[in-house]
Amino acid sequence: METARREAAVTAAEVEALARLIEDATGRPAPAEVPFASPLLLFSRLDAARRDALFGVGPGRTLVQEQLSIEGGRRIVPDAATTVESRVHEPASPATPWRIEVGLLDAAGGTIAEVRTAMRAVASESLAAAQGPAAGRAAEGVRRTTRPLSRDLVERWVRLVGDDNPIHVDAAHAAALGLPGPVVPGALLVALVEGVVEPALGGRLIRLNARFTAPVPVGVAIEVEIRERPASGAAARRDARLLFVAGERVAAVADLSVA
């Protein structure tokens, strides 16, 4: 395991850009406070050598994100110094994923948030063939639909977080992988949850764990089905499961809590 620490800050302009992106993608008012997904503004900024290692997975293979989680009830303070403590677990074999864990700490050493992800190098044809499970419809579920996740929205996201994966913006690269076109970053789906869930459930997000099952083509609107579940923690907490449906297939599943 490789561990590194560095100082960084999220600017007020970046926070505002993220809030506007959430509003534009969901069609609902921007979050009233610093967005829950703001730790992703720091999480994606890996050094050049690390990015090369992640994306240089060899011919006929591509890197896909399998899981992404954010935990922590506190929000980043714009323009304030933040310690970014990252732990990178390199795969023990081609069959195991990269695991990256990032802790964000304030000036006093207190934890603001923890972000974790798992990424795996897969054969390109398996990515193109991934469809995700068929979408069921729960009678009790609340449904919300995003606006189409356009090329403009995706490009705004990748510029904001520094995502270098060409699969999101390069049509020729996507075609070489057997895809019909660029695909939406999984982390962007996670960022949009706040604009969909908080108006439906009330409270504020404090925990989210998403698993990605199929690529989402750029330009597609996502139907988000919210299924509230019995809370397993404090009485004031509400838990839910989200299904991100593209067409008739579930592209991602997220478990979350609001309080």
Side-chain angles (χ1 to χ4, degrees):
M1 179 181 69
E2 177 185 338
T3 302
R5 289 172 66 97
R6 60 188 174 88
E7 298 297 314
V10 171
T11 69
E14 289 170 329
V15 168
E16 174 67 15
L18 177 57
R20 294 282 79 78
L21 193 154
I22 294 170
E23 180 176 14
D24 292 345
T26 63
R28 295 169 181 83
E33 59 180 337
V34 173
F36 176 75
S38 58
L40 299 178
L41 298 173
L42 293 174
F43 180 76
S44 297
R45 297 173 190 172
L46 299 171
D47 61 89
R50 179 57 59 199
R51 284 196 296 267
D52 289 345
L54 284 171
F55 297 125
V57 293
R61 300 179 69 78
T62 190
L63 192 72
V64 298
Q65 191 169 38
E66 294 184 326
Q67 176 268 341
L68 176 63
S69 69
I70 306 173
E71 293 196 30
R74 298 177 59 193
R75 304 296 168 103
I76 287 177
V77 177
D79 298 317
T82 302
T83 298
V84 182
E85 186 174 79
S86 59
R87 300 171 293 279
V88 178
H89 305 262
E90 297 195 13
S93 73
T96 57
W98 289 81
R99 297 193 181 276
I100 302 175
E101 303 168 353
V102 173
L104 304 181
L105 311 175
D106 62 20
T111 298
I112 300 170
E114 289 276 347
V115 183
R116 299 178 180 86
T117 192
M119 295 182 285
R120 187 187 302 271
V122 301
S124 300
E125 59 269 21
S126 67
L127 174 62
Q131 294 186 350
R137 289 293 185 268
E140 71 277 10
V142 175
R143 300 185 188 95
R144 297 288 186 268
T145 302
T146 70
R147 290 173 171 168
L149 302 182
S150 66
R151 176 177 175 177
D152 173 68
L153 286 171
V154 170
E155 289 181 348
R156 284 164 60 186
W157 171 261
V158 298
R159 287 195 302 268
L160 189 59
V161 301
D163 186 343
D164 288 341
N165 193 337
I167 198 173
H168 304 309
V169 295
D170 188 332
H173 179 82
L177 299 175
L179 296 165
V183 297
V184 175
L188 175 55
L189 298 181
V190 166
L192 302 184
V193 167
E194 186 169 18
V196 173
V197 168
E198 290 191 352
L201 297 181
R204 63 200 294 269
L205 273 169
I206 59 171
R207 177 188 70 89
L208 187 150
N209 182 31
R211 302 173 301 285
F212 307 105
T213 56
V216 175
V218 170
V220 169
I222 299 295
E223 183 181 33
V224 183
E225 183 169 324
I226 306 167
R227 301 178 180 178
E228 192 164 359
R229 312 176 78 183
S232 57
R237 198 177 91 177
R238 300 177 72 180
D239 294 343
R241 169 161 288 181
L242 269 58
L243 304 183
F244 297 80
V245 180
E248 295 300 321
R249 296 286 174 174
V250 177
V253 178
D255 293 310
L256 59 84
S257 300
V258 300

mmCIF file of all heavy atoms in Angstrom, residues 53-102:
data_model
loop_
_atom_site.group_PDB
_atom_site.id
_atom_site.type_symbol
_atom_site.label_atom_id
_atom_site.label_comp_id
_atom_site.label_asym_id
_atom_site.label_seq_id
_atom_site.Cartn_x
_atom_site.Cartn_y
_atom_site.Cartn_z
ATOM 1 N N ALA A 53 -0.204 5.242 -14.426
ATOM 2 C CA ALA A 53 -0.270 3.850 -13.968
ATOM 3 C C ALA A 53 -1.698 3.322 -14.040
ATOM 4 O O ALA A 53 -1.934 2.167 -14.404
ATOM 5 C CB ALA A 53 0.267 3.748 -12.535
ATOM 6 N N LEU A 54 -2.662 4.173 -13.703
ATOM 7 C CA LEU A 54 -4.051 3.731 -13.716
ATOM 8 C C LEU A 54 -4.564 3.481 -15.129
ATOM 9 O O LEU A 54 -5.232 2.485 -15.401
ATOM 10 C CB LEU A 54 -4.941 4.769 -13.032
ATOM 11 C CG LEU A 54 -4.895 4.817 -11.506
ATOM 12 C CD1 LEU A 54 -5.661 6.022 -10.992
ATOM 13 C CD2 LEU A 54 -5.462 3.541 -10.913
ATOM 14 N N PHE A 55 -4.265 4.406 -16.031
ATOM 15 C CA PHE A 55 -4.843 4.312 -17.361
ATOM 16 C C PHE A 55 -3.985 3.510 -18.335
ATOM 17 O O PHE A 55 -4.457 3.136 -19.406
ATOM 18 C CB PHE A 55 -5.116 5.709 -17.915
ATOM 19 C CG PHE A 55 -6.130 6.466 -17.114
ATOM 20 C CD1 PHE A 55 -5.844 7.713 -16.593
ATOM 21 C CD2 PHE A 55 -7.375 5.915 -16.850
ATOM 22 C CE1 PHE A 55 -6.776 8.404 -15.842
ATOM 23 C CE2 PHE A 55 -8.320 6.591 -16.097
ATOM 24 C CZ PHE A 55 -8.015 7.842 -15.587
ATOM 25 N N GLY A 56 -2.745 3.222 -17.984
ATOM 26 C CA GLY A 56 -1.895 2.426 -18.869
ATOM 27 C C GLY A 56 -2.071 0.942 -18.614
ATOM 28 O O GLY A 56 -1.150 0.258 -18.161
ATOM 29 N N VAL A 57 -3.258 0.429 -18.893
ATOM 30 C CA VAL A 57 -3.588 -0.951 -18.522
ATOM 31 C C VAL A 57 -3.296 -1.943 -19.646
ATOM 32 O O VAL A 57 -3.540 -3.135 -19.481
ATOM 33 C CB VAL A 57 -5.073 -1.059 -18.102
ATOM 34 C CG1 VAL A 57 -5.308 -0.305 -16.809
ATOM 35 C CG2 VAL A 57 -5.993 -0.537 -19.209
ATOM 36 N N GLY A 58 -2.806 -1.462 -20.781
ATOM 37 C CA GLY A 58 -2.418 -2.377 -21.844
ATOM 38 C C GLY A 58 -3.443 -2.452 -22.961
ATOM 39 O O GLY A 58 -4.606 -2.086 -22.786
ATOM 40 N N PRO A 59 -3.013 -2.920 -24.130
ATOM 41 C CA PRO A 59 -3.905 -3.000 -25.290
ATOM 42 C C PRO A 59 -5.067 -3.963 -25.055
ATOM 43 O O PRO A 59 -4.904 -4.996 -24.409
ATOM 44 C CB PRO A 59 -2.978 -3.501 -26.412
ATOM 45 C CG PRO A 59 -1.842 -4.177 -25.700
ATOM 46 C CD PRO A 59 -1.655 -3.416 -24.428
ATOM 47 N N GLY A 60 -6.227 -3.585 -25.579
ATOM 48 C CA GLY A 60 -7.400 -4.445 -25.460
ATOM 49 C C GLY A 60 -8.053 -4.424 -24.101
ATOM 50 O O GLY A 60 -8.983 -5.187 -23.853
ATOM 51 N N ARG A 61 -7.586 -3.544 -23.213
ATOM 52 C CA ARG A 61 -8.157 -3.462 -21.874
ATOM 53 C C ARG A 61 -8.452 -1.998 -21.541
ATOM 54 O O ARG A 61 -7.831 -1.092 -22.090
ATOM 55 C CB ARG A 61 -7.205 -4.058 -20.824
ATOM 56 C CG ARG A 61 -6.904 -5.520 -21.071
ATOM 57 C CD ARG A 61 -5.935 -6.082 -20.044
ATOM 58 N NE ARG A 61 -6.524 -6.185 -18.713
ATOM 59 C CZ ARG A 61 -7.359 -7.145 -18.345
ATOM 60 N NH1 ARG A 61 -7.729 -8.080 -19.201
ATOM 61 N NH2 ARG A 61 -7.826 -7.205 -17.120
ATOM 62 N N THR A 62 -9.390 -1.792 -20.658
ATOM 63 C CA THR A 62 -9.732 -0.439 -20.230
ATOM 64 C C THR A 62 -10.054 -0.449 -18.745
ATOM 65 O O THR A 62 -10.414 -1.486 -18.178
ATOM 66 C CB THR A 62 -10.922 0.105 -21.035
ATOM 67 O OG1 THR A 62 -11.093 1.500 -20.753
ATOM 68 C CG2 THR A 62 -12.212 -0.639 -20.687
ATOM 69 N N LEU A 63 -9.908 0.699 -18.122
ATOM 70 C CA LEU A 63 -10.145 0.817 -16.689
ATOM 71 C C LEU A 63 -11.584 1.245 -16.440
ATOM 72 O O LEU A 63 -12.066 2.217 -17.026
ATOM 73 C CB LEU A 63 -9.198 1.851 -16.089
ATOM 74 C CG LEU A 63 -9.102 1.909 -14.565
ATOM 75 C CD1 LEU A 63 -8.352 0.702 -14.033
ATOM 76 C CD2 LEU A 63 -8.409 3.191 -14.127
ATOM 77 N N VAL A 64 -12.290 0.511 -15.588
ATOM 78 C CA VAL A 64 -13.665 0.863 -15.248
ATOM 79 C C VAL A 64 -13.785 1.018 -13.738
ATOM 80 O O VAL A 64 -13.110 0.333 -12.967
ATOM 81 C CB VAL A 64 -14.672 -0.192 -15.757
ATOM 82 C CG1 VAL A 64 -14.632 -0.304 -17.257
ATOM 83 C CG2 VAL A 64 -14.424 -1.549 -15.116
ATOM 84 N N GLN A 65 -14.656 1.926 -13.340
ATOM 85 C CA GLN A 65 -14.914 2.142 -11.923
ATOM 86 C C GLN A 65 -16.034 1.211 -11.487
ATOM 87 O O GLN A 65 -17.115 1.219 -12.069
ATOM 88 C CB GLN A 65 -15.287 3.596 -11.669
ATOM 89 C CG GLN A 65 -15.318 3.992 -10.203
ATOM 90 C CD GLN A 65 -15.422 5.493 -10.028
ATOM 91 O OE1 GLN A 65 -16.121 6.166 -10.776
ATOM 92 N NE2 GLN A 65 -14.727 6.020 -9.039
ATOM 93 N N GLU A 66 -15.775 0.427 -10.462
ATOM 94 C CA GLU A 66 -16.768 -0.518 -9.955
ATOM 95 C C GLU A 66 -17.556 0.038 -8.774
ATOM 96 O O GLU A 66 -18.737 -0.294 -8.605
ATOM 97 C CB GLU A 66 -16.089 -1.812 -9.519
ATOM 98 C CG GLU A 66 -15.451 -2.598 -10.651
ATOM 99 C CD GLU A 66 -14.878 -3.915 -10.166
ATOM 100 O OE1 GLU A 66 -14.378 -3.982 -9.023
ATOM 101 O OE2 GLU A 66 -14.935 -4.875 -10.938
ATOM 102 N N GLN A 67 -16.911 0.849 -7.953
ATOM 103 C CA GLN A 67 -17.528 1.293 -6.699
ATOM 104 C C GLN A 67 -16.981 2.655 -6.320
ATOM 105 O O GLN A 67 -15.835 2.990 -6.627
ATOM 106 C CB GLN A 67 -17.240 0.270 -5.598
ATOM 107 C CG GLN A 67 -17.738 0.623 -4.217
ATOM 108 C CD GLN A 67 -16.696 1.371 -3.384
ATOM 109 O OE1 GLN A 67 -15.504 1.343 -3.680
ATOM 110 N NE2 GLN A 67 -17.153 2.045 -2.342
ATOM 111 N N LEU A 68 -17.823 3.470 -5.683
ATOM 112 C CA LEU A 68 -17.397 4.778 -5.186
ATOM 113 C C LEU A 68 -18.245 5.123 -3.966
ATOM 114 O O LEU A 68 -19.473 5.024 -4.010
ATOM 115 C CB LEU A 68 -17.574 5.853 -6.259
ATOM 116 C CG LEU A 68 -17.251 7.298 -5.843
ATOM 117 C CD1 LEU A 68 -15.781 7.442 -5.475
ATOM 118 C CD2 LEU A 68 -17.627 8.265 -6.963
ATOM 119 N N SER A 69 -17.592 5.520 -2.883
ATOM 120 C CA SER A 69 -18.333 5.891 -1.679
ATOM 121 C C SER A 69 -17.791 7.182 -1.091
ATOM 122 O O SER A 69 -16.612 7.514 -1.234
ATOM 123 C CB SER A 69 -18.267 4.775 -0.626
ATOM 124 O OG SER A 69 -16.953 4.649 -0.109
ATOM 125 N N ILE A 70 -18.704 7.931 -0.447
ATOM 126 C CA ILE A 70 -18.355 9.136 0.306
ATOM 127 C C ILE A 70 -19.028 9.015 1.661
ATOM 128 O O ILE A 70 -20.224 8.748 1.738
ATOM 129 C CB ILE A 70 -18.841 10.422 -0.394
ATOM 130 C CG1 ILE A 70 -18.339 10.505 -1.833
ATOM 131 C CG2 ILE A 70 -18.382 11.656 0.395
ATOM 132 C CD1 ILE A 70 -18.935 11.667 -2.620
ATOM 133 N N GLU A 71 -18.270 9.218 2.723
ATOM 134 C CA GLU A 71 -18.824 9.186 4.074
ATOM 135 C C GLU A 71 -18.347 10.408 4.834
ATOM 136 O O GLU A 71 -17.189 10.789 4.753
ATOM 137 C CB GLU A 71 -18.411 7.910 4.812
ATOM 138 C CG GLU A 71 -19.024 6.657 4.223
ATOM 139 C CD GLU A 71 -18.937 5.470 5.171
ATOM 140 O OE1 GLU A 71 -18.960 5.702 6.394
ATOM 141 O OE2 GLU A 71 -18.840 4.345 4.688
ATOM 142 N N GLY A 72 -19.263 11.015 5.588
ATOM 143 C CA GLY A 72 -18.897 12.149 6.429
ATOM 144 C C GLY A 72 -19.960 13.220 6.398
ATOM 145 O O GLY A 72 -20.351 13.685 5.327
ATOM 146 N N GLY A 73 -20.432 13.606 7.555
ATOM 147 C CA GLY A 73 -21.478 14.609 7.638
ATOM 148 C C GLY A 73 -20.982 16.037 7.514
ATOM 149 O O GLY A 73 -21.775 16.971 7.409
ATOM 150 N N ARG A 74 -19.666 16.249 7.525
ATOM 151 C CA ARG A 74 -19.126 17.602 7.430
ATOM 152 C C ARG A 74 -18.902 17.966 5.968
ATOM 153 O O ARG A 74 -18.738 17.105 5.108
ATOM 154 C CB ARG A 74 -17.823 17.702 8.207
ATOM 155 C CG ARG A 74 -17.974 17.436 9.683
ATOM 156 C CD ARG A 74 -16.639 17.471 10.376
ATOM 157 N NE ARG A 74 -15.993 18.774 10.208
ATOM 158 C CZ ARG A 74 -14.714 19.016 10.485
ATOM 159 N NH1 ARG A 74 -13.949 18.032 10.929
ATOM 160 N NH2 ARG A 74 -14.198 20.197 10.315
ATOM 161 N N ARG A 75 -18.874 19.253 5.677
ATOM 162 C CA ARG A 75 -18.656 19.732 4.310
ATOM 163 C C ARG A 75 -17.331 20.489 4.240
ATOM 164 O O ARG A 75 -16.904 21.142 5.207
ATOM 165 C CB ARG A 75 -19.807 20.627 3.855
ATOM 166 C CG ARG A 75 -21.191 19.972 3.957
ATOM 167 C CD ARG A 75 -21.320 18.770 3.031
ATOM 168 N NE ARG A 75 -22.510 17.976 3.307
ATOM 169 C CZ ARG A 75 -23.623 18.008 2.570
ATOM 170 N NH1 ARG A 75 -23.695 18.814 1.529
ATOM 171 N NH2 ARG A 75 -24.640 17.239 2.869
ATOM 172 N N ILE A 76 -16.687 20.419 3.101
ATOM 173 C CA ILE A 76 -15.448 21.162 2.875
ATOM 174 C C ILE A 76 -15.716 22.663 2.982
ATOM 175 O O ILE A 76 -16.753 23.151 2.523
ATOM 176 C CB ILE A 76 -14.878 20.816 1.487
ATOM 177 C CG1 ILE A 76 -14.270 19.403 1.494
ATOM 178 C CG2 ILE A 76 -13.839 21.829 1.034
ATOM 179 C CD1 ILE A 76 -13.762 18.955 0.157
ATOM 180 N N VAL A 77 -14.792 23.385 3.559
ATOM 181 C CA VAL A 77 -14.873 24.844 3.618
ATOM 182 C C VAL A 77 -14.108 25.398 2.416
ATOM 183 O O VAL A 77 -12.906 25.152 2.281
ATOM 184 C CB VAL A 77 -14.278 25.395 4.922
ATOM 185 C CG1 VAL A 77 -14.305 26.918 4.925
ATOM 186 C CG2 VAL A 77 -15.025 24.836 6.125
ATOM 187 N N PRO A 78 -14.778 26.114 1.520
ATOM 188 C CA PRO A 78 -14.082 26.635 0.329
ATOM 189 C C PRO A 78 -12.894 27.515 0.706
ATOM 190 O O PRO A 78 -12.940 28.286 1.668
ATOM 191 C CB PRO A 78 -15.169 27.457 -0.378
ATOM 192 C CG PRO A 78 -16.454 26.855 0.082
ATOM 193 C CD PRO A 78 -16.212 26.427 1.503
ATOM 194 N N ASP A 79 -11.819 27.354 -0.046
ATOM 195 C CA ASP A 79 -10.584 28.143 0.082
ATOM 196 C C ASP A 79 -9.817 27.854 1.371
ATOM 197 O O ASP A 79 -8.798 28.507 1.633
ATOM 198 C CB ASP A 79 -10.874 29.650 -0.024
ATOM 199 C CG ASP A 79 -11.465 30.029 -1.372
ATOM 200 O OD1 ASP A 79 -10.966 29.520 -2.391
ATOM 201 O OD2 ASP A 79 -12.425 30.815 -1.400
ATOM 202 N N ALA A 80 -10.259 26.913 2.171
ATOM 203 C CA ALA A 80 -9.544 26.560 3.400
ATOM 204 C C ALA A 80 -8.579 25.411 3.117
ATOM 205 O O ALA A 80 -8.873 24.514 2.320
ATOM 206 C CB ALA A 80 -10.519 26.152 4.495
ATOM 207 N N ALA A 81 -7.422 25.444 3.764
ATOM 208 C CA ALA A 81 -6.433 24.385 3.567
ATOM 209 C C ALA A 81 -7.005 23.057 4.049
ATOM 210 O O ALA A 81 -7.584 22.968 5.132
ATOM 211 C CB ALA A 81 -5.153 24.708 4.335
ATOM 212 N N THR A 82 -6.845 22.040 3.225
ATOM 213 C CA THR A 82 -7.327 20.696 3.539
ATOM 214 C C THR A 82 -6.182 19.713 3.336
ATOM 215 O O THR A 82 -5.469 19.782 2.336
ATOM 216 C CB THR A 82 -8.500 20.309 2.616
ATOM 217 O OG1 THR A 82 -9.544 21.269 2.757
ATOM 218 C CG2 THR A 82 -9.025 18.924 2.953
ATOM 219 N N THR A 83 -5.993 18.819 4.298
ATOM 220 C CA THR A 83 -4.997 17.765 4.138
ATOM 221 C C THR A 83 -5.650 16.586 3.428
ATOM 222 O O THR A 83 -6.695 16.095 3.866
ATOM 223 C CB THR A 83 -4.445 17.308 5.493
ATOM 224 O OG1 THR A 83 -3.794 18.416 6.131
ATOM 225 C CG2 THR A 83 -3.434 16.170 5.324
ATOM 226 N N VAL A 84 -5.035 16.178 2.334
ATOM 227 C CA VAL A 84 -5.529 15.046 1.552
ATOM 228 C C VAL A 84 -4.603 13.865 1.822
ATOM 229 O O VAL A 84 -3.432 13.884 1.438
ATOM 230 C CB VAL A 84 -5.556 15.367 0.044
ATOM 231 C CG1 VAL A 84 -6.128 14.198 -0.747
ATOM 232 C CG2 VAL A 84 -6.359 16.640 -0.214
ATOM 233 N N GLU A 85 -5.108 12.868 2.516
ATOM 234 C CA GLU A 85 -4.320 11.684 2.868
ATOM 235 C C GLU A 85 -4.823 10.515 2.026
ATOM 236 O O GLU A 85 -5.944 10.041 2.211
ATOM 237 C CB GLU A 85 -4.478 11.369 4.353
ATOM 238 C CG GLU A 85 -3.588 10.246 4.847
ATOM 239 C CD GLU A 85 -3.693 10.072 6.351
ATOM 240 O OE1 GLU A 85 -4.681 9.466 6.785
ATOM 241 O OE2 GLU A 85 -2.815 10.572 7.059
ATOM 242 N N SER A 86 -3.998 10.081 1.076
ATOM 243 C CA SER A 86 -4.430 9.039 0.140
ATOM 244 C C SER A 86 -3.671 7.744 0.365
ATOM 245 O O SER A 86 -2.480 7.738 0.695
ATOM 246 C CB SER A 86 -4.233 9.509 -1.307
ATOM 247 O OG SER A 86 -2.874 9.813 -1.562
ATOM 248 N N ARG A 87 -4.403 6.627 0.191
ATOM 249 C CA ARG A 87 -3.833 5.299 0.314
ATOM 250 C C ARG A 87 -4.208 4.528 -0.954
ATOM 251 O O ARG A 87 -5.409 4.355 -1.232
ATOM 252 C CB ARG A 87 -4.370 4.602 1.569
ATOM 253 C CG ARG A 87 -4.045 5.337 2.842
ATOM 254 C CD ARG A 87 -4.753 4.777 4.056
ATOM 255 N NE ARG A 87 -6.197 4.971 4.007
ATOM 256 C CZ ARG A 87 -6.800 6.103 4.342
ATOM 257 N NH1 ARG A 87 -6.092 7.156 4.723
ATOM 258 N NH2 ARG A 87 -8.113 6.199 4.287
ATOM 259 N N VAL A 88 -3.210 4.087 -1.686
ATOM 260 C CA VAL A 88 -3.438 3.385 -2.953
ATOM 261 C C VAL A 88 -3.028 1.929 -2.792
ATOM 262 O O VAL A 88 -1.879 1.632 -2.466
ATOM 263 C CB VAL A 88 -2.648 4.035 -4.102
ATOM 264 C CG1 VAL A 88 -2.866 3.272 -5.404
ATOM 265 C CG2 VAL A 88 -3.057 5.496 -4.270
ATOM 266 N N HIS A 89 -3.978 1.038 -2.998
ATOM 267 C CA HIS A 89 -3.719 -0.397 -2.933
ATOM 268 C C HIS A 89 -3.643 -0.921 -4.372
ATOM 269 O O HIS A 89 -4.665 -1.004 -5.058
ATOM 270 C CB HIS A 89 -4.842 -1.125 -2.180
ATOM 271 C CG HIS A 89 -5.094 -0.587 -0.804
ATOM 272 N ND1 HIS A 89 -4.575 -1.173 0.324
ATOM 273 C CD2 HIS A 89 -5.804 0.487 -0.374
ATOM 274 C CE1 HIS A 89 -4.967 -0.492 1.390
ATOM 275 N NE2 HIS A 89 -5.717 0.524 0.987
ATOM 276 N N GLU A 90 -2.437 -1.231 -4.818
ATOM 277 C CA GLU A 90 -2.293 -1.727 -6.179
ATOM 278 C C GLU A 90 -2.801 -3.160 -6.275
ATOM 279 O O GLU A 90 -2.743 -3.923 -5.307
ATOM 280 C CB GLU A 90 -0.829 -1.646 -6.609
ATOM 281 C CG GLU A 90 -0.302 -0.220 -6.657
ATOM 282 C CD GLU A 90 1.003 -0.111 -7.411
ATOM 283 O OE1 GLU A 90 1.373 -1.089 -8.097
ATOM 284 O OE2 GLU A 90 1.653 0.938 -7.309
ATOM 285 N N PRO A 91 -3.318 -3.559 -7.447
ATOM 286 C CA PRO A 91 -3.870 -4.916 -7.587
ATOM 287 C C PRO A 91 -2.797 -5.979 -7.424
ATOM 288 O O PRO A 91 -1.685 -5.848 -7.941
ATOM 289 C CB PRO A 91 -4.465 -4.914 -8.995
ATOM 290 C CG PRO A 91 -3.777 -3.803 -9.710
ATOM 291 C CD PRO A 91 -3.454 -2.770 -8.690
ATOM 292 N N ALA A 92 -3.147 -7.031 -6.702
ATOM 293 C CA ALA A 92 -2.212 -8.142 -6.502
ATOM 294 C C ALA A 92 -2.095 -9.009 -7.751
ATOM 295 O O ALA A 92 -1.126 -9.731 -7.919
ATOM 296 C CB ALA A 92 -2.665 -8.992 -5.318
ATOM 297 N N SER A 93 -3.115 -8.927 -8.614
ATOM 298 C CA SER A 93 -3.118 -9.704 -9.854
ATOM 299 C C SER A 93 -4.024 -8.987 -10.846
ATOM 300 O O SER A 93 -4.787 -8.087 -10.473
ATOM 301 C CB SER A 93 -3.653 -11.113 -9.587
ATOM 302 O OG SER A 93 -5.051 -11.074 -9.375
ATOM 303 N N PRO A 94 -3.972 -9.356 -12.140
ATOM 304 C CA PRO A 94 -4.857 -8.714 -13.121
ATOM 305 C C PRO A 94 -6.335 -8.890 -12.805
ATOM 306 O O PRO A 94 -7.168 -8.138 -13.320
ATOM 307 C CB PRO A 94 -4.482 -9.424 -14.429
ATOM 308 C CG PRO A 94 -3.084 -9.905 -14.219
ATOM 309 C CD PRO A 94 -3.012 -10.285 -12.771
ATOM 310 N N ALA A 95 -6.673 -9.857 -11.967
ATOM 311 C CA ALA A 95 -8.087 -10.121 -11.664
ATOM 312 C C ALA A 95 -8.615 -9.289 -10.502
ATOM 313 O O ALA A 95 -9.812 -9.308 -10.220
ATOM 314 C CB ALA A 95 -8.276 -11.599 -11.345
ATOM 315 N N THR A 96 -7.742 -8.565 -9.803
ATOM 316 C CA THR A 96 -8.182 -7.783 -8.646
ATOM 317 C C THR A 96 -8.147 -6.289 -8.972
ATOM 318 O O THR A 96 -7.400 -5.846 -9.840
ATOM 319 C CB THR A 96 -7.290 -8.071 -7.423
ATOM 320 O OG1 THR A 96 -5.927 -7.789 -7.763
ATOM 321 C CG2 THR A 96 -7.425 -9.517 -6.995
ATOM 322 N N PRO A 97 -8.964 -5.488 -8.275
ATOM 323 C CA PRO A 97 -9.058 -4.060 -8.606
ATOM 324 C C PRO A 97 -8.009 -3.205 -7.902
ATOM 325 O O PRO A 97 -7.421 -3.603 -6.899
ATOM 326 C CB PRO A 97 -10.462 -3.697 -8.114
ATOM 327 C CG PRO A 97 -10.670 -4.605 -6.933
ATOM 328 C CD PRO A 97 -9.982 -5.898 -7.290
ATOM 329 N N TRP A 98 -7.795 -2.019 -8.467
ATOM 330 C CA TRP A 98 -7.126 -0.955 -7.729
ATOM 331 C C TRP A 98 -8.099 -0.474 -6.659
ATOM 332 O O TRP A 98 -9.299 -0.350 -6.912
ATOM 333 C CB TRP A 98 -6.834 0.234 -8.646
ATOM 334 C CG TRP A 98 -5.759 0.050 -9.667
ATOM 335 C CD1 TRP A 98 -5.867 -0.564 -10.876
ATOM 336 C CD2 TRP A 98 -4.415 0.516 -9.571
ATOM 337 N NE1 TRP A 98 -4.676 -0.512 -11.539
ATOM 338 C CE2 TRP A 98 -3.767 0.155 -10.773
ATOM 339 C CE3 TRP A 98 -3.701 1.208 -8.590
ATOM 340 C CZ2 TRP A 98 -2.431 0.459 -11.017
ATOM 341 C CZ3 TRP A 98 -2.366 1.517 -8.838
ATOM 342 C CH2 TRP A 98 -1.748 1.141 -10.029
ATOM 343 N N ARG A 99 -7.586 -0.175 -5.474
ATOM 344 C CA ARG A 99 -8.413 0.432 -4.438
ATOM 345 C C ARG A 99 -7.726 1.708 -3.955
ATOM 346 O O ARG A 99 -6.552 1.694 -3.595
ATOM 347 C CB ARG A 99 -8.641 -0.537 -3.278
ATOM 348 C CG ARG A 99 -9.408 -1.787 -3.694
ATOM 349 C CD ARG A 99 -9.904 -2.601 -2.510
ATOM 350 N NE ARG A 99 -10.609 -3.790 -2.958
ATOM 351 C CZ ARG A 99 -11.884 -3.820 -3.309
ATOM 352 N NH1 ARG A 99 -12.592 -2.695 -3.257
ATOM 353 N NH2 ARG A 99 -12.461 -4.934 -3.696
ATOM 354 N N ILE A 100 -8.474 2.782 -3.976
ATOM 355 C CA ILE A 100 -7.946 4.076 -3.554
ATOM 356 C C ILE A 100 -8.818 4.611 -2.438
ATOM 357 O O ILE A 100 -10.053 4.646 -2.557
ATOM 358 C CB ILE A 100 -7.896 5.078 -4.724
ATOM 359 C CG1 ILE A 100 -7.039 4.520 -5.869
ATOM 360 C CG2 ILE A 100 -7.342 6.422 -4.263
ATOM 361 C CD1 ILE A 100 -7.033 5.385 -7.098
ATOM 362 N N GLU A 101 -8.193 5.011 -1.334
ATOM 363 C CA GLU A 101 -8.903 5.581 -0.186
ATOM 364 C C GLU A 101 -8.313 6.961 0.078
ATOM 365 O O GLU A 101 -7.090 7.122 0.127
ATOM 366 C CB GLU A 101 -8.716 4.697 1.049
ATOM 367 C CG GLU A 101 -9.165 3.256 0.854
ATOM 368 C CD GLU A 101 -8.705 2.350 1.977
ATOM 369 O OE1 GLU A 101 -7.924 2.821 2.838
ATOM 370 O OE2 GLU A 101 -9.115 1.181 1.991
ATOM 371 N N VAL A 102 -9.169 7.944 0.233
ATOM 372 C CA VAL A 102 -8.718 9.307 0.478
ATOM 373 C C VAL A 102 -9.454 9.864 1.685
ATOM 374 O O VAL A 102 -10.693 9.861 1.723
ATOM 375 C CB VAL A 102 -8.952 10.206 -0.754
ATOM 376 C CG1 VAL A 102 -8.647 11.664 -0.420
ATOM 377 C CG2 VAL A 102 -8.086 9.746 -1.924
#
